[in-house]
Amino acid sequence: MGIGGNFWDLLKPYVRNENYDFLRNKKVAIDLSYWIVQHETALKNKVRNPHLRVTFFRTINLFSKFGAFPVFVIDGVPSPLKARARIERFLRFSGVDISNLPKVNDGVSVERNGAFQKCVHECVELLQLLGMPVLKASCEAEALCAQLNYEGHVDACITADSDALLYGAKCVIKSLSPNSKEPFECYFMSDLETGLGLKRLHFVAISLLVGNDHNLGGVSGIGIETALRFVRMFPEDEILKRLHELGNGNIPVSQINDNYLGDCDVTILSENSPKTKLRHCSYCGHPGSKSAHSKIACEHCVVSDNGGCSQKPSGFKCECSSCNLARKSKERKKHESWQLSVCRKISSEKNFPNEEIIEMYLSHKNGSWTESPISLLWGKPKLETLVEFLGYHQHWDPSYIRQRILPMLSTHFLRDMVSNPIENLLLHGQYEFYSIKRAKITYGRPCYLVTWRKAAPCIGNARDNIGKELSDVQNEDIPGVIEVVDLLDEPDVPQILVTDVQNEDIPGVIEVVDLLDEPDVPQIIVDDGCSYLLTEENMELVQAAFPNKVERFLQEKELKSREKNSSKKFNGKHNKFETPKSSSTGIQLSIKEFYRATKALAHAKQGEHSPKGPEIQAKGFAKGKRTPPTPNLSKSARRRLLFD
C-alpha cells in the first residue's frame, strides 16, 4: 500500500516508461512479498503453487532477457504499529468495529500467517537454487530496498509500496509490462522533486496527514489535495517542526499568514491601504456616482452618443486599485480560514505526529550485514537440485525444467566468456558457440539468434545429458505445464524440430513464423544425428563474448546484401528482352495476348515517365505518339488500333 489517499495518482504525471535495456547490467532490489501477493491473488486455484511459478519465470527473464542482476529482499519482523495496522485493515474490510482495538504495546508484534510464511520460505529456497542473492530486512522489505538504492548498492527498486520513496529510494519501478516496447513504469525522485516542488520530508509529512502502512487513518478530514497544498507552504527543513507545533496545540496563525501563504496568489496589504471600498457608479461600474457621470463621462468610459458613460456589460469587473485590494483582501481571508481549519484538524489529532513513524522513514538501519560495503554475488543454478525441487513442488517433468532454464544458462555462459575467455568452453558442457544466424527485433528489443552446435555426446550420468532429455520432449502436454501469455511470467519456450529439410545456413533449421507474432523461442534442431540449439541473446553481450563471430556475421550480411542488389539489377535488365509469359504457368503467350500485354506495358511506362497535363499530351500526339483508346470508340475501331 504505502501512502494512502491515491498517492500514486499524484505521481502519475511524472512517470517515465523505460525500454528493455533500462536494467541491462544493472542491479535491482526486489520486494519478494510484492510478487507473491500480486500473483497469489490472480492465479490462486488456477495453477499449482503460483508463487513458485511466478518467481521461477520472472527471475529467469529478469536475468536473461532484461540483463539485470536481481537482489531479492524479504520482510523481517514487522513493527508493532505495522502489525496493528494490518489487523485494523483486516477488520475494517470485514465490517467489524475497530474502535475498541487494544493499544500498541512496546515490543509486541504479530507475524504474518503461516501460509504466507511458507510461500516466502519456498521462494527463498528456489532463488538460492537459482543462484540469486537474498537479503532479510530488519522490518520492512521496501525499506531495505530503498536503503540499498540510497547507498548505491543497487540502481533501482521493484515494489508497489509508495513509501519506498520515503525510505530514500531514488528510482522505484512500480509495474512491468513485458509485452510493450517500454515495459518499465519508473518513478525517479529527482523528477518528483522538480515536478511537484517537494522534497523527501514533504512526502513524509503527506504520509502523516493522509495515512500510511503504520497509521491507516492519518488526520481525519485531510485528503491528498489538502495535504499537498498545506505542505507546500513550508520549506523542507521546517515542515516537520510545524507539524510538531500544531500537534502540541500551538497554532501560530499570524506567522503562517505573514510568511507562508503557499500557492495562493495573495498580496499582503500595507497599513496605508484603504480599508473601505470606494463608491462606484451603478451604470458604468467605475469609481464615482451615477449622478456625476450623467453630467460628465468618467475618465474610464468611452463617451456614448448622448455624452454620458457607456453601460457596463454583464459580468463586468472593475480593475481599479480599490476593487483589486478588496478582492485580494477577500482571498486572504478565505485562505486564512482554510489554514485555520487545517491547523485545527491537525491539533485535534492525538499523538500527532508519531515520532516512531518518522524515525522509521528517516532511519537507514533496515538490514544487518557484517561486510562493508555489502557483497552481492550471483552464482550459477544448481541444476540437479533445482530439477528435484520443482519436480516435487510443481510436478514438472525434468526435461521441461531444463528447457526453461536454458536462457539463464546461456546468459551465464556469455558473461563468463566476457570476464574470462576460454577456448573450447561449452554451454552446459555440451554445446559450442557455432554462429549467428540472424538479427531480429522483438517488442523493440534487438537481439541475435545464436546457433549452438552439440560438440560431442556426454559421458557419465544420464541425467546430465540435457540434449537427450530435450530431444525426448514431444508435443503432448506435460503434467503441470500451463500456457501463460505474459512474456515476463514465463520465458521463451524451447521447441523440438526434427527434419531433413536443408537450409542455406544450417542443415535442418526451419524458421517458425506466426502470423500474429513471431515467437522468440529457443529451438532444438536434430538433423542426421547432430543437434543444434537456437537461442536469442543480447547483441552487446554476444559482441563482447565473441567479437570475431559478430564481425564475420556482419561481413557475410553485407556481402549477401550486395549480391541481392546486384541480382535485382541484372534481373531488371534481363526482363526487358524477355518474351512476356504467363505469370502462373510460364507458357508462351498467343500473338493476341502478346500484343495486349506489350501495349499495356508501354502505356504504363509512358504514364510513369511522361509529364502530365493536357498541353504535353497534345504535343505528344502531334509528334505521332498514339494515345490509349478511349472507351467511346467502337469495338471495331479499337481492334484496328490494337492490331494495326
Side-chain angles (χ1 to χ4, degrees):
M1 172 186 167
I3 305 175
N6 298 323
F7 184 72
W8 284 118
D9 295 339
L10 178 66
L11 309 183
K12 194 70 174 179
Y14 312 102
V15 66
R16 282 198 216 173
N17 293 315
E18 299 289 349
N19 59 21
Y20 269 90
D21 290 331
F22 174 68
L23 291 181
R24 181 72 55 189
N25 298 324
K26 293 182 180 178
K27 302 174 184 178
V28 55
I30 302 170
D31 183 358
L32 183 59
S33 299
Y34 163 55
W35 277 8
I36 296 175
V37 173
Q38 181 185 25
H39 292 274
E40 185 74 20
T41 304
L43 302 178
K44 191 174 183 179
N45 300 327
K46 296 181 181 179
V47 298
R48 183 180 181 86
N49 296 327
H51 59 284
L52 291 177
R53 182 184 185 84
V54 168
T55 303
F56 178 69
F57 288 136
R58 284 207 164 191
T59 303
I60 293 176
N61 278 289
L62 275 175
F63 188 81
S64 59
K65 180 178 291 186
F66 298 111
F69 291 87
V71 179
F72 291 88
V73 181
I74 61 175
D75 291 308
V77 179
S79 66
L81 286 173
K82 181 66 175 286
R84 185 183 188 279
R86 190 179 295 155
I87 297 173
E88 182 180 338
R89 184 186 295 116
F90 174 78
L91 295 179
R92 181 182 296 176
F93 286 130
S94 303
V96 180
D97 184 18
I98 61 175
S99 58
N100 297 326
L101 272 179
K103 295 183 179 180
V104 178
N105 298 323
D106 294 337
V108 177
S109 181
V110 179
E111 292 279 358
R112 283 193 167 184
N113 60 76
F116 185 83
Q117 291 295 336
K118 180 183 177 182
C119 292
V120 173
H121 293 325
E122 290 175 351
C123 289
V124 169
E125 186 176 357
L126 173 62
L127 292 170
Q128 291 175 344
L129 293 176
L130 290 172
M132 299 293 109
V134 181
L135 303 178
K136 185 174 183 179
S138 58
C139 186
E140 300 294 324
E142 65 269 19
L144 181 53
C145 291
Q147 180 180 343
L148 293 173
N149 188 204
Y150 181 81
E151 296 178 354
H153 300 297
V154 298
D155 300 285
C157 307
I158 297 181
T159 180
D161 284 328
S162 55
D163 51 5
L165 296 168
L166 280 60
Y167 285 113
K170 298 179 180 179
C171 175
V172 174
I173 301 175
K174 180 177 178 288
S175 62
L176 300 92
S177 304
N179 294 340
S180 66
K181 293 183 179 180
E182 297 177 338
F184 300 109
E185 182 181 330
C186 304
Y187 294 86
F188 291 87
M189 192 63 176
S190 58
D191 294 344
L192 302 179
E193 291 177 351
T194 303
L196 293 172
L198 302 178
K199 300 292 185 180
R200 180 182 174 186
L201 294 183
H202 287 121
F203 289 124
V204 173
I206 290 177
S207 71
L208 296 173
L209 292 172
V210 301
N212 49 67
D213 283 343
H214 311 281
N215 179 19
L216 300 181
V219 177
S220 178
I222 295 183
I224 188 67
E225 295 295 335
T226 302
L228 176 63
R229 183 181 174 187
F230 183 79
V231 299
R232 278 177 171 170
M233 294 164 47
F234 308 97
E236 182 186 20
D237 55 352
E238 292 189 15
I239 179 62
L240 295 181
K241 178 182 177 182
R242 297 296 179 185
L243 292 182
H244 280 98
E245 292 177 354
L246 294 173
N248 294 331
N250 301 325
I251 306 178
V253 180
S254 59
Q255 190 174 1
I256 293 177
N257 289 337
D258 291 340
N259 299 315
Y260 308 108
L261 292 177
D263 50 1
C264 188
D265 186 13
V266 180
T267 303
I268 301 176
L269 305 178
S270 62
E271 297 180 357
N272 299 326
S273 300
K275 302 299 181 181
T276 58
K277 184 179 178 181
L278 297 178
R279 184 180 180 184
H280 282 60
C281 174
S282 60
Y283 185 76
C284 68
H286 294 125
S289 63
K290 183 177 181 181
S291 58
H293 289 182
S294 61
K295 299 177 182 179
I296 302 175
C298 69
E299 58 182 357
H300 304 286
C301 283
V302 179
V303 180
S304 60
D305 296 338
N306 57 5
C309 293
S310 302
Q311 186 176 5
K312 62 182 179 181
S314 59
F316 172 80
K317 288 185 179 181
C318 180
E319 299 296 336
C320 69
S321 58
S322 175
C323 291
N324 287 334
L325 289 174
R327 279 193 292 268
K328 290 176 181 179
S329 177
K330 185 177 180 180
E331 286 184 22
R332 179 184 176 85
K333 290 180 180 179
K334 182 179 179 181
H335 191 68
E336 289 176 359
S337 176
W338 175 83
Q339 288 179 359
L340 282 173
S341 175
V342 174
C343 292
R344 285 172 181 153
K345 290 177 182 178
I346 296 175
S347 61
S348 63
E349 192 73 19
K350 296 181 180 180
N351 191 26
F352 184 89
N354 193 311
E355 285 292 341
E356 187 177 351
I357 297 177
I358 297 176
E359 184 179 355
M360 279 192 296
Y361 282 142
L362 302 183
S363 173
H364 291 290
K365 299 179 180 179
N366 301 298
S368 58
W369 46 78
T370 57
E371 300 179 5
S372 182
I374 182 175
S375 178
L376 300 175
L377 300 176
W378 290 263
K380 295 182 180 180
K382 300 176 182 178
L383 189 56
E384 297 309 317
T385 311
L386 182 65
V387 169
E388 295 179 359
F389 177 84
L390 292 176
Y392 174 77
H393 288 281
Q394 297 298 104
H395 296 176
W396 288 347
D397 192 85
S399 58
Y400 176 82
I401 301 171
R402 295 175 188 274
Q403 292 172 31
R404 270 55 182 180
I405 202 68
L406 277 176
M408 178 173 282
L409 296 178
S410 63
T411 302
H412 271 295
F413 175 83
L414 293 175
R415 288 176 176 173
D416 290 344
M417 288 297 297
V418 173
S419 59
N420 186 21
I422 300 176
E423 294 184 3
N424 302 325
L425 184 64
L426 302 179
L427 171 62
H428 196 67
Q430 298 186 50
Y431 287 89
E432 63 178 351
F433 193 99
Y434 183 68
S435 66
I436 300 174
K437 181 171 176 58
R438 63 186 175 91
K440 63 180 297 185
I441 297 178
T442 305
Y443 293 108
R445 177 176 59 93
C447 58
Y448 283 135
L449 189 62
V450 174
T451 305
W452 309 81
R453 183 176 63 181
K454 190 172 183 180
C458 282
I459 301 175
N461 191 346
R463 298 182 66 182
D464 293 335
N465 194 340
I466 187 172
K468 181 179 182 303
E469 291 200 4
L470 289 175
S471 301
D472 290 341
V473 178
Q474 303 298 327
N475 291 329
E476 60 263 24
D477 295 334
I478 301 174
V481 179
I482 298 179
E483 293 297 328
V484 178
V485 178
D486 193 337
L487 295 181
L488 187 66
D489 291 344
E490 181 165 2
D492 304 328
V493 182
Q495 295 184 351
I496 303 301
L497 300 178
V498 182
T499 177
D500 294 331
V501 180
Q502 298 297 318
N503 185 277
E504 60 177 331
D505 293 333
I506 303 173
V509 177
I510 294 180
E511 290 294 331
V512 182
V513 178
D514 193 310
L515 296 179
L516 297 178
D517 180 26
E518 185 176 359
D520 51 345
V521 295
Q523 304 172 32
I524 300 295
I525 301 97
V526 181
D527 180 69
D528 294 334
C530 186
S531 299
Y532 296 93
L533 173 66
L534 298 181
T535 61
E536 294 180 1
E537 307 295 344
N538 177 256
M539 288 185 170
E540 295 181 359
L541 191 57
V542 176
Q543 170 70 38
F546 296 95
N548 296 332
K549 297 283 188 180
V550 175
E551 184 179 359
R552 179 182 176 184
F553 166 75
L554 295 177
Q555 291 175 354
E556 293 178 353
K557 183 178 179 181
E558 184 179 359
L559 181 61
K560 289 181 180 180
S561 178
R562 291 178 181 177
E563 293 177 353
K564 187 176 181 181
N565 293 335
S566 61
S567 63
K568 283 184 178 179
K569 292 180 180 179
F570 175 77
N571 292 334
K573 293 179 180 180
H574 184 68
N575 290 337
K576 292 182 179 180
F577 305 99
E578 285 185 351
T579 303
K581 297 181 180 179
S582 173
S583 60
S584 59
T585 61
I587 302 175
Q588 181 72 37
L589 299 177
S590 65
I591 187 66
K592 194 173 182 180
E593 293 174 340
F594 170 79
Y595 276 108
R596 286 179 179 174
T598 54
K599 200 167 186 66
L601 181 62
H603 290 160
K605 291 183 178 180
Q606 181 182 357
E608 291 178 0
H609 301 290
S610 63
K612 298 181 180 180
E615 296 82 7
I616 303 299
Q617 292 179 2
K619 292 180 181 179
F621 181 78
K623 291 180 181 180
K625 295 183 180 179
R626 290 189 177 184
T627 59
T630 63
N632 295 329
L633 298 177
S634 63
K635 184 176 180 181
S636 59
R638 293 200 303 272
R639 185 176 301 167
R640 285 196 300 273
L641 290 173
L642 182 61
F643 296 103
D644 190 4

